[in-house]
Amino acid sequence: MTRIGIIGGGAAGIAAAITAARNDREAYVFILEQKEKAGKKLLATGNGRCNLTNRQADGSDVESCYHGGNIRFAGEVLKQFGYADTRSFFASMGLVMKERGDYVYPRSDQASTVLDLLDLELKRLGVEVFCQARVQSVLWDRSDFCLEAKVCKQGCEKKGRQSRQIESRELSQIFKADRIILACGGKAAPAFGSDGSGYEIAKSFGHRMTPVVPALVQLKVKEHPFAKASGVRTDAKVTALIDGVPVAEDTGEVQITAYGISGIPVFQISRHIALGLYRKKRAEVLLDLLPEYTAEEADELLIRMAGRHTGITMGECLAGIFNQKLVPCILTLAGVRMQARISETDRRRIQGIVRQCKSVCLRIQDTNGFENAQVCAGGVRTDEIDPRTMESKRVKGLYLAGELLDVDGICGGYNLQWAWATGSIAGRAAAKGRKVS
Ligand SMILES: Cc1cc2nc3c(=O)[nH]c(=O)nc-3n(C[C@H](O)[C@H](O)[C@H](O)COP(=O)(O)OP(=O)(O)OC[C@H]3O[C@@H](n4cnc5c(N)ncnc54)[C@H](O)[C@@H]3O)c2cc1C
């Protein structure tokens, strides 16, 4: 009987286990998961609603949805297991899905539905899930993989007829497997168990890494000009500049926080900022607070507003356009007093205000840390992995899947899609591969 051991019971590990067990009903498939339950992170995804895939995630336009050192690798993977395959995978377990634009969610709008169905399928297939089992190291003795884990055992003491729970103990245990799938995630959101330990295991097999930085994360602004507008949400275009060169942009609802900026467009550009900062470069974000207007149109808009009533102040003039908390910040940046009368403000000054609104330059001091990031950019290099099987090119019988790899997606279901795709491909290949002898 083939033994397939999966390290990490997140999205990728669970998909791998289900697919392996479906493809080889004789195999003994087991998951070692260090948290008290597999799939905990899934419950937090999509604000508790689990945005499980995206209609665009089929590998055809991979450059606009994924990043990584070798983006062709991601394309090859997603062409084998794309959006439609994810839908079939979940439909086969009885999940009814719905869409918001291209984003796909469970119809129930509950991430727990997704996890419950995955759990049920693991049970149906007889996959053994060991929780509170943290893999410390893996050895390969050319016939078996030996997974050394710290396993938490709940103690029970018997006194006569009564038994009582005693303090749990951590014991070392060895699990043997013919093939293993490494699916430990990255370092983002370590509260859910992804603490970077998978990188060490991959490195112990000779795998090389690209630098790992937080991604889909908030940005901290140096001398934040909008600190007083904390809590405001405003439509804006954000452009990431590294040493003055634009590298990425996105438009949508930006959230102003006391320390910086957040929101989906900020998340989308954050990996570029994080990598720039990692390389000790100057990182800035240009904020366009009037993205729906060209500079000329914005100029006209302000002139029109100003011409409405010569008795009003500049503050009152902008109040019809922006959230009221933003107005004093914008005017301070433009060097114009809130109380300045429109009648006293010449056209040049108004153009100065427009320039500010269209391109506020925010110097980025840092990103928030891994604990606040949704994913990591960087990871295990993908040129050392076969995209058709997810098998390591270094060690036969070792497969790698999920966020551990040097591929990160934008917001919108792309990261879970990556986890389901790589997990399923690895599971199928591990079940079909010949026994290592
Ligand atoms: C708050 C939040 C919201 C998100 N929302 C979305 C969303 O809506 N859509 C989307 O596409 N993506 C979303 N993501 C990203 C997505 O959740 C991840 O990309 C995805 O879960 C990665 O799957 P994975 O299986 O590779 O890793 P993980 O889900 O991180 O799973 C890795 C598992 O391995 C276990 N593990 C680690 N090391 C060991 C070890 N040594 N021994 C045993 N077990 C170990 C961990 O405990 C963990 O359970 C979100 C992320 C966060 C944090």
Side-chain angles (χ1 to χ4, degrees), residues 21 55 62 405:
R55 291 202 319 177
V62 74
L405 301 166

Side-chain angles (χ1 to χ4, degrees), residues 114-140:
V114 177
L115 187 54
D116 287 348
L117 292 178
L118 290 168
D119 271 344
L120 216 61
E121 186 67 356
L122 287 170
K123 280 201 190 86
R124 184 184 76 79
L125 294 164
V127 173
E128 196 158 6
V129 183
F130 297 90
C131 290
Q132 295 187 298
R134 175 186 168 74
V135 177
Q136 308 271 85
S137 61
V138 183
L139 292 176
W140 184 44

Side-chain angles (χ1 to χ4, degrees), residues 102-215:
D102 285 336
Y103 294 24
V104 181
Y105 295 86
R107 189 185 174 282
S108 66
D109 257 337
Q110 286 183 304
S112 57
T113 309
V114 177
L115 187 54
D116 287 348
L117 292 178
L118 290 168
D119 271 344
L120 216 61
E121 186 67 356
L122 287 170
K123 280 201 190 86
R124 184 184 76 79
L125 294 164
V127 173
E128 196 158 6
V129 183
F130 297 90
C131 290
Q132 295 187 298
R134 175 186 168 74
V135 177
Q136 308 271 85
S137 61
V138 183
L139 292 176
W140 184 44
D141 64 9
R142 300 202 172 263
S143 78
D144 289 314
F145 287 97
C146 299
L147 288 70
E148 195 213 340
K150 284 264 184 264
V151 183
C152 193
K153 299 266 183 210
Q154 293 296 337
C156 201
E157 191 181 63
K158 275 208 158 186
K159 252 191 186 167
R161 279 209 224 146
Q162 291 193 330
S163 68
R164 73 181 177 95
Q165 206 76 14
I166 57 168
E167 226 174 83
S168 56
R169 283 174 303 153
E170 239 189 18
L171 301 174
S172 277
Q173 197 172 330
I174 302 285
F175 294 82
K176 292 203 168 188
D178 302 297
R179 289 172 215 132
I180 59 167
I181 300 173
L182 194 55
C184 296
K187 282 209 254 190
F192 299 109
S194 40
D195 56 6
S197 53
Y199 298 140
E200 299 312 314
I201 299 174
K203 283 198 263 180
S204 73
F205 283 108
H207 276 281
R208 288 172 300 161
M209 307 262 307
T210 59
V212 177
V213 296

Side-chain angles (χ1 to χ4, degrees), residues 7-14 32-35 37-42 44-47 49-53 105 133-136 183-186 188-189 192-198 201 216 373-375 401-404 410-419 422:
I7 310 177
I14 295 174
L32 300 177
E33 165 54 50
Q34 67 171 328
K35 297 302 275 186
K37 179 165 173 47
K40 273 192 92 175
K41 191 183 280 178
L42 273 177
T45 58
N47 280 327
R49 294 188 300 192
C50 187
N51 174 199
L52 71 151
T53 182
Y105 295 86
R134 175 186 168 74
V135 177
Q136 308 271 85
C184 296
F192 299 109
S194 40
D195 56 6
S197 53
I201 299 174
L216 304 188
Q374 287 198 358
V375 294
E403 202 183 308
L404 176 83
I410 59 172
C411 290
Y414 295 97
N415 287 296
L416 281 174
Q417 173 61 39
W418 180 249
T422 51

Side-chain angles (χ1 to χ4, degrees), residues 19 76 94 105 109 111 114 139 142 160 177 209 222 239 306 316 320 340 357 371 379 385 394 425 428:
T19 314
E76 284 178 51
Y105 295 86
D109 257 337
V114 177
L139 292 176
R142 300 202 172 263
M209 307 262 307
K222 201 171 181 176
T239 306
E316 287 162 341
C357 299
E371 57 290 355
I385 294 155
R394 295 185 166 271
I425 293 170
R428 189 171 54 209

